[in-house]
Amino acid sequence: MLPKNTTTMLACLVAAAAGLPASTHAQDLPNLKGKSFAFAGFGGDLQKNQDLAWLQPFADATGVKIVQTDSPTVAALKTQQEAKNVGVDVIEIESSTVDANCGTTFQVVDINRSQLDPALDRNKCGVPVVKFSFVLAYNAAKYKEPPTKVADFFDVESFPGVRAAPAGSNVGLVETALLADGVEPWKLYPIDLDRAVKKIESVKSSIEVKSTFAMLQDGLANGEFDMAILPNGRAYNASKTNPDVKVVFDGAVTLYDNLAIPTGAKNVEAATEFLNYVALNQTQSSLTERFPYGKGTVGEEPPKLDDQAKLFFPDTYGEQLVIQDNSWWAANDQNVNDRLTSLFSQ
């Protein structure tokens, strides 16, 4: 029989070989061989890195089979639920959506929440992950005097040029409009939507609205846009193609996603074990070190990032960030979407 410390050391080696955090011993994870679950993410480089940091190590250690797909809209998910044919087991989705639908569209999960950030752990259905900011990214070659705050997106006189914004409602645009109109960050919520829409309308002719973050990223990288509002990770990717792409975080609307299990999911046991795994600080750090989005966990050890990644990492900027009010968005998302859709269709 091996001494206890030797057994522990071997367990750590097994975990390391599988790509697991060192504190997650192999024997702590269940045997899920013969089981499976479907993971629905947002695609792109984020999901590629989630695959490397989370999905593959978990599958290697537990024997579970993981099928990956794109996240359905809430409307599509509800249609699946009505038909009793839910096609995903773990979904990444905006935290405000889970807050608003916990116990209905998404089921309560019994997991260990001790390492989750209490400020972000707002419901019992999801695991907070992927904290990100809607930054102002710009082409430094275009401006002698660069922008200093995200609200400069609306200053078309001081910062002329082609600017782009993402389509949709909860993309940082309405908060940024209010900041540009003089509202103090701590007075943003509840949002004065009429005032925000009026500010956006005043520069609407200068804004190109793009349907995907990938289009914004590519447009910055190839020089099609001089500036854009987009998630910090997308700006980071653009900078790897075009080093002139820089970012401003002052006033960046910052939010986070949840991983959740839809009501009616077919593989709840395996999905719950995966949420338990992602609720660990070292698991989330393994993603952050690959891709500079923040964590939904707390821990003593900060993520190991290179100097370039730190420039695009939300937690580098602390009090400059504007943390989004989830409860306001949960109640008003559809109304904002309707107003912005109407505005940009005119």
Side-chain angles (χ1 to χ4, degrees), residues 49 131 232 236 249 284-295 301-317:
N49 282 285
K131 183 169 67 177
N232 60 284
Y236 174 61
F249 271 85
Q284 294 208 24
S285 292
S286 67
L287 174 63
T288 292
E289 289 168 2
R290 289 179 175 275
F291 204 56
Y293 282 138
K295 306 178 298 176
E301 290 297 320
K304 299 178 180 66
L305 299 172
D306 62 35
D307 290 341
Q308 174 71 356
K310 285 178 182 176
L311 295 175
F312 290 80
F313 183 52
D315 290 348
T316 302
Y317 298 90

Side-chain angles (χ1 to χ4, degrees), residues 69-344:
T69 184
D70 296 329
S71 285
T73 64
V74 173
L77 185 58
K78 289 181 177 179
T79 297
Q80 292 178 14
Q81 290 170 330
E82 289 171 1
K84 300 189 185 304
N85 187 29
V86 176
V88 297
D89 302 297
V90 175
I91 183 172
E92 181 175 358
I93 198 164
E94 293 85 356
S95 56
S96 58
T97 300
V98 181
D99 287 351
N101 296 278
C102 182
T104 53
T105 308
F106 305 101
Q107 62 181 269
V108 173
V109 291
D110 182 15
I111 61 171
N112 183 349
R113 297 180 173 273
S114 61
Q115 294 185 33
L116 295 178
D117 184 343
L120 307 183
D121 188 20
R122 302 286 297 275
N123 62 67
K124 296 305 178 185
C125 292
V127 172
V129 295
V130 189
K131 183 169 67 177
F132 63 98
S133 300
F134 282 104
V135 297
L136 174 60
Y138 64 94
N139 189 332
K142 299 284 185 176
Y143 299 105
K144 269 189 175 181
E145 296 292 331
T148 59
K149 55 188 182 297
V150 180
D152 287 338
F153 180 82
F154 285 88
D155 188 349
V156 296
E157 292 185 6
S158 301
F159 305 99
V162 181
R163 61 235 300 132
S169 53
N170 191 0
V171 292
L173 194 61
V174 295
E175 288 98 334
T176 302
L178 290 174
L179 292 173
D181 205 43
V183 177
E184 298 291 350
W186 56 90
K187 294 183 179 179
L188 279 174
Y189 301 99
I191 284 174
D192 184 338
L193 187 55
D194 289 336
R195 182 174 176 178
V197 169
K198 184 178 180 180
K199 183 65 177 179
I200 296 169
E201 187 175 25
S202 71
V203 297
K204 185 185 74 167
S205 61
S206 300
I207 300 174
E208 294 189 20
V209 176
K210 297 299 179 181
S211 59
T212 68
F213 295 140
M215 295 172 70
L216 296 169
Q217 174 185 316
D218 293 343
L220 278 170
N222 64 28
E224 180 184 355
F225 310 134
D226 299 318
M227 63 170 59
I229 291 178
L230 78 171
N232 60 284
R234 291 288 187 171
Y236 174 61
N237 281 343
S239 77
K240 290 190 288 186
T241 302
N242 181 354
D244 285 328
V245 173
K246 308 296 182 185
V247 288
V248 177
F249 271 85
D250 190 356
V253 177
T254 301
L255 53 159
Y256 56 96
D257 294 332
N258 272 184
L259 294 186
I261 301 174
T263 301
K266 298 179 179 69
N267 301 290
V268 174
E269 178 190 355
T272 301
E273 293 294 350
F274 180 69
L275 291 194
N276 246 326
Y277 170 65
V278 179
L280 296 172
N281 179 56
Q282 289 192 10
T283 303
Q284 294 208 24
S285 292
S286 67
L287 174 63
T288 292
E289 289 168 2
R290 289 179 175 275
F291 204 56
Y293 282 138
K295 306 178 298 176
T297 54
V298 292
E300 294 181 3
E301 290 297 320
K304 299 178 180 66
L305 299 172
D306 62 35
D307 290 341
Q308 174 71 356
K310 285 178 182 176
L311 295 175
F312 290 80
F313 183 52
D315 290 348
T316 302
Y317 298 90
E319 294 184 359
Q320 293 185 31
L321 307 177
V322 173
I323 304 300
Q324 188 183 82
D325 185 332
N326 276 356
S327 59
W328 188 90
W329 275 99
N332 294 278
D333 188 280
Q334 187 60 54
N335 186 32
V336 177
N337 184 71
D338 293 344
R339 291 288 298 275
L340 294 185
T341 298
S342 175
L343 174 65
F344 285 113

